C-alpha cells in the first residue's frame, strides 16, 4: 500500500523534555524503527511530521539575536523541515541500507483571507507556567493560551489548500524513494498580487496537511501515529473505551475535546469520507500492527 505516515510531536520530543539535539535524535531513532517496519512489510511510505517545539525554539533563538536577525515563521518552518528531515533521513537510512530516501521542503498554499489569521490557535515553542507566558506575551507581542498543564505561544493556523510539490513527491515515490515532506504542515505561502508566491506568518496543522497530501497522492491509507493507542469514546470518564473500527461518517470530531486528538480525528474522517479509503490512528510503536488491522483505531470510507 501507499501510505502517508504522519508522525506526532512525541516522535521528536516528549512533553517537558529538553529541546536538545541528543533528545531529538533519540526520539527520531525510535520513530525510524517504526517506519522501517512498514517498509519491510512491503509498503510505500511518505513521511510527514510535526515541528511545533522546534519552530518555536528557532523563533526564540532568532529573537535573542540582533534586531535585524529575526526571521518570519515561514522561513523558520523551512529551517525546521530541513533539520528534522535530516534526522529522520539519517536514522532511517541506518535501518534500511541501500534504500533511497529524500527530504523535500514543501510549500503549502493557503488563503490570504483565511479567518485563522485573526484568531491564532496553533501552539508552538516551549511550555511555560502562566506567569512566564503572560510576561513573554507582554514583552514580545505574543498571543498565549493554555496547553495541557501549561501555557504556550499560539500563532495562526490557516487551512491548507494545495501541496505545491505533490507531483514531485509522487514521482519520487513511483521510483521507490522514501520521501520525508510536509514537515510541520509545510511552509505556508500565498499568491502574490502580480504572480509568484510569498510566505506568510503562520504554522499549518500537520494532520490537515497530511490528509490533503494523502488525497493529492492517491494514497491507500492515512496513518496518524501518536502516543495513545487509538481513539476513545467517553475519553476521560470511567466508561472510556477504545474504538476499534468506525466509519468516517459516524465519527464526529466536534464530540471530542479540543486538543491534540481532534485534528487527527477530523483529518482521518475527512480522508475516509472523501476518498473511500482507510485512515488509522494509534501508537508509534504499533505502526505495523495498526496497518494490519490488529491495533489502533481504523476509520473506514
Amino acid at each position: 500500500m501507499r501510505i502517508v505516515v504522519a508522525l506526532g510531536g512525541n516522535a521528536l520530543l516528549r512533553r517537558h523534555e529538553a529541546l536538545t539535539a541528543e533528545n531529538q535524535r533519540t526520539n527520531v531513532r525510535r520513530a525510524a524503527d517504526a517506519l522501517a517496519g512498514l517498509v519491510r512489510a512491503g509498503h510505500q511510505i511518505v513521511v510527514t511530521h510535526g515541528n511545533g517545539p522546534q519552530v518555536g525554539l528557532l523563533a526564540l533563538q532568532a529573537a535573542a539575536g540582533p534586531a535585524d536577525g529575526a526571521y518570519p515563521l515561514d522561513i523558520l518552518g523551512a529551517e525546521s523541515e530541513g533539520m528534522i528531515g535530516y534526522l529522520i533521513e539519517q536514522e532511517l537510512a541506518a535501518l534500511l541500507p541501500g534504500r533511497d530516501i529524500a527530504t523535500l521542503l514543501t510549500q503549502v498554499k493557503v488563503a490570504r483571507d483565511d479567518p485563522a489569521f485573526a484568531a491564532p490557535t496553533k501552539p508552538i515553542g516551549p511550555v511555560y507556567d502562566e506567569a512566564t507566558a503572560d510576561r513573554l506575551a507582554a514583552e514580545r507581542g505574543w498571543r498565549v493560551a493554555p496547553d495541557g498543564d501549561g501555557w504556550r505561544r499560539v500563532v495562526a493556523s490557516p487551512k491548507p489548500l494545495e501541496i505545491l510539490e505533490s507531483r514531485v513527491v509522487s514521482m519520487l515515490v513511483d521510483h521507490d524513494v522514501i520521501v520525508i515532506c510536509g514537515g510541520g504542515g509545510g511552509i505556508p505561502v500565498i499568491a502574490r498580487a502580480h504572480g509568484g508566491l510569498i510566505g506568510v506568518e503562520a504554522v499549518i496543522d500537520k494532520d490537515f496537511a497530511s490528509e490533503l497530501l494523502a488525497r493529492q497522492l492517491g494514497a491507500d491509507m492515512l496513518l496518524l501515529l501518536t502516543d495513545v493507542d487509538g481513539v476513545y469514546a467517553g475519553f476521560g470518564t470511567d466508561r472510556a473505551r477504545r474504538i476499534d473500527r468506525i466509519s468516517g461518517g459516524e465519527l464526529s470530531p466536534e464530540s471530542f475535546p479540543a486538543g491534540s486528538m481532534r485534528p487527527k480525528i477530523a483529518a482521518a474522517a475527512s480522508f475516509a469520507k472523501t476518498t473511500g479509503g482507510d485512515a488509522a490512528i494509534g501508537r508509534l510503536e504499533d505502526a505495523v500492527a495498526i496497518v494490519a488491522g490488529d491495533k489502533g483505531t481504523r476509520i473506514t470510507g
Side-chain angles (χ1 to χ4, degrees), residues 77-97:
E79 288 184 13
S80 68
E81 265 200 279
M83 175 183 70
I84 297 166
Y86 159 72
L87 292 173
I88 297 173
E89 185 174 332
Q90 199 168 64
E91 294 302 325
L92 199 52
L95 297 171
L96 299 170

Side-chain angles (χ1 to χ4, degrees), residues 26 32 40 68 80 91 135 163 197 201 216 241 257 265 290 298 300-301:
T26 297
R40 294 187 188 112
D68 59 356
S80 68
E91 294 302 325
R135 176 176 58 79
I163 310 294
L197 301 164
E201 188 83 349
Q216 288 189 228
R241 62 172 184 83
I265 293 166
I290 294 168
R298 179 69 61 97
T300 60

Side-chain angles (χ1 to χ4, degrees), residues 54-116:
Q54 291 80 8
V55 77
L57 176 65
L58 290 173
L60 286 172
Q61 291 172 339
D68 59 356
Y71 287 101
L73 281 174
D74 60 304
I75 293 179
L76 298 179
E79 288 184 13
S80 68
E81 265 200 279
M83 175 183 70
I84 297 166
Y86 159 72
L87 292 173
I88 297 173
E89 185 174 332
Q90 199 168 64
E91 294 302 325
L92 199 52
L95 297 171
L96 299 170
R99 289 301 302 266
D100 292 321
I101 307 170
T103 299
L104 184 67
L105 292 184
T106 314
Q107 299 177 92
V108 180
K109 194 172 183 179
V110 302
R112 182 187 298 271
D113 59 352
D114 191 301

Side-chain angles (χ1 to χ4, degrees), residues 115-123 142-145 153-157 201:
F117 288 112
T121 59
K122 183 70 174 175
W142 290 356
R143 294 197 189 185
V144 296
R153 179 188 178 188
V154 291
V155 299
S157 183
E201 188 83 349

Side-chain angles (χ1 to χ4, degrees), residues 2 44-47 89 99-106 165-181 213 217:
R2 179 175 293 191
Q44 288 183 325
I45 64 169
V46 175
V47 183
E89 185 174 332
R99 289 301 302 266
D100 292 321
I101 307 170
T103 299
L104 184 67
L105 292 184
T106 314
E165 286 79 16
S166 63
R167 286 190 298 171
V168 179
V169 176
S170 187
M171 285 189 292
L172 290 169
V173 175
D174 287 342
H175 285 82
D176 209 26
V177 177
I178 299 168
V179 181
I180 303 160
C181 65
L213 178 65
L217 295 180

